[in-house]
Amino acid sequence: MKKIMIIEDDTVLRDEVATLLKNSGYDVHAVTDLSTALEQMKSSGADLILLDINLPFVGGETLLQEFRKVSDTPVIMLTSRSTEIDEVLSMSFGADDYITKPYNPTILLLRISAVLKRFTKTSGSQMYHDAEVSTVKGSIDRNGKEQVLTKNEMIIFQLLLDRQGEIVTRDDLMTALWDNDEFVNDNALSVNISRLRGKLADLGFEDAIETRKKQGYVLK
């Protein structure tokens, strides 16, 4: 499940966006203490940040500039301003997109989805809780500890991660593995699942993959 942070001082709008995102399947963290917004941005582990430009204490553009010194997490700027110069300034400070309020909820969700897909494709990495999953390296890194996955383990984990919280059937997994160039039978799938569980447990993710009898697996 992708995690989205909302930094918005209008409490009504913040709650509306949070509800919209939760109902759309996102894990949402809405910042209420804006005086510590930058620290929360750095430590949140969010996959994407919605950042209002007009904030008390420090402006959204300044926050973005400081955040970009330490992170390339995608940021979409939210603003009631509508001049081209504001858009240009936001993008020049490192924003990945720019949405003017009031916005259409459907368009907001589409823009969020597009930025997340673009970032994943570019970086070759995703987050699993607070661990970085690198499809390029075929590894999972948590707090400096790395577990390297085999090709088949990576295929299985990627499918489970893409559908985190949902049941993924053995048939789905076998189909994904059959697209690979190796023959994988049912027993081999069980072995790969077992090894993947062990590697996740070694990173501190005990019981990360739940077995649903006669249904499949769920990544928690």
Side-chain angles (χ1 to χ4, degrees):
M1 182 182 295
K2 296 291 186 182
K3 181 177 182 179
I4 298 180
M5 169 177 276
I6 304 169
I7 305 177
E8 165 65 68
D9 64 328
D10 184 322
T11 56
V12 174
L13 181 57
R14 185 175 65 215
D15 292 344
E16 287 178 353
V17 174
T19 300
L20 172 69
L21 296 177
K22 288 177 182 175
N23 290 340
S24 300
Y26 291 107
D27 178 17
V28 177
H29 173 59
V31 174
T32 55
D33 182 4
L34 296 174
S35 66
T36 61
L38 181 59
E39 288 73 21
Q40 293 186 64
M41 290 170 74
K42 293 177 180 177
S43 62
S44 69
D47 297 293
L48 183 145
I49 297 173
L50 296 177
L51 176 60
D52 186 25
I53 285 184
N54 295 308
L55 294 172
F57 302 108
V58 60
E61 288 149 335
T62 302
L63 274 178
L64 179 59
Q65 282 182 294
E66 293 300 313
F67 185 59
R68 277 288 171 260
K69 295 176 181 177
V70 298
S71 175
D72 59 357
T73 297
V75 174
I76 295 178
M77 301 298 287
L78 303 174
T79 180
S80 55
R81 303 175 186 172
S82 58
T83 63
E84 288 186 357
I85 188 63
D86 292 323
E87 181 175 359
V88 170
L89 282 174
S90 294
M91 301 302 281
S92 67
F93 290 151
D96 296 272
D97 205 346
Y98 178 97
I99 297 178
T100 302
K101 297 182 284 187
Y103 44 78
N104 181 298
T106 301
I107 292 177
L108 175 63
L109 292 174
L110 289 173
R111 300 280 278 273
I112 288 172
S113 177
V115 170
L116 285 171
K117 286 180 180 177
R118 187 168 71 237
F119 181 76
T120 300
K121 184 176 181 180
T122 301
S123 65
S125 66
Q126 290 177 264
M127 297 302 296
Y128 172 60
H129 297 291
D130 59 348
E132 182 177 4
V133 182
S134 172
T135 54
V136 176
K137 296 168 60 181
S139 63
I140 305 174
D141 188 298
R142 187 186 195 194
N143 298 326
K145 185 174 184 178
E146 184 182 61
Q147 277 289 354
V148 177
L149 306 186
T150 66
K151 183 166 60 178
N152 286 341
E153 290 165 355
M154 193 71 225
I155 291 171
I156 294 168
F157 186 69
Q158 183 69 64
L159 186 55
L160 291 171
L161 184 59
D162 288 343
R163 294 165 58 180
Q164 187 176 355
E166 301 175 12
I167 296 174
V168 180
T169 68
R170 289 181 69 88
D171 285 344
D172 290 340
L173 293 169
M174 291 295 288
T175 299
L177 291 167
W178 268 104
D179 287 336
N180 194 8
D181 56 3
E182 293 182 33
F183 173 76
V184 178
N185 59 26
D186 200 60
N187 288 334
L189 174 59
S190 297
V191 170
N192 277 282
I193 290 284
S194 178
R195 288 175 177 166
L196 180 56
R197 279 179 165 142
K199 291 182 178 180
L200 290 172
D202 193 53
L203 291 171
F205 296 119
E206 301 285 348
D207 303 318
I209 301 175
E210 176 185 348
T211 299
R212 297 288 180 89
K213 191 173 182 181
K214 296 184 178 180
Q215 296 182 80
Y217 302 95
V218 176
L219 181 66
K220 296 185 288 186

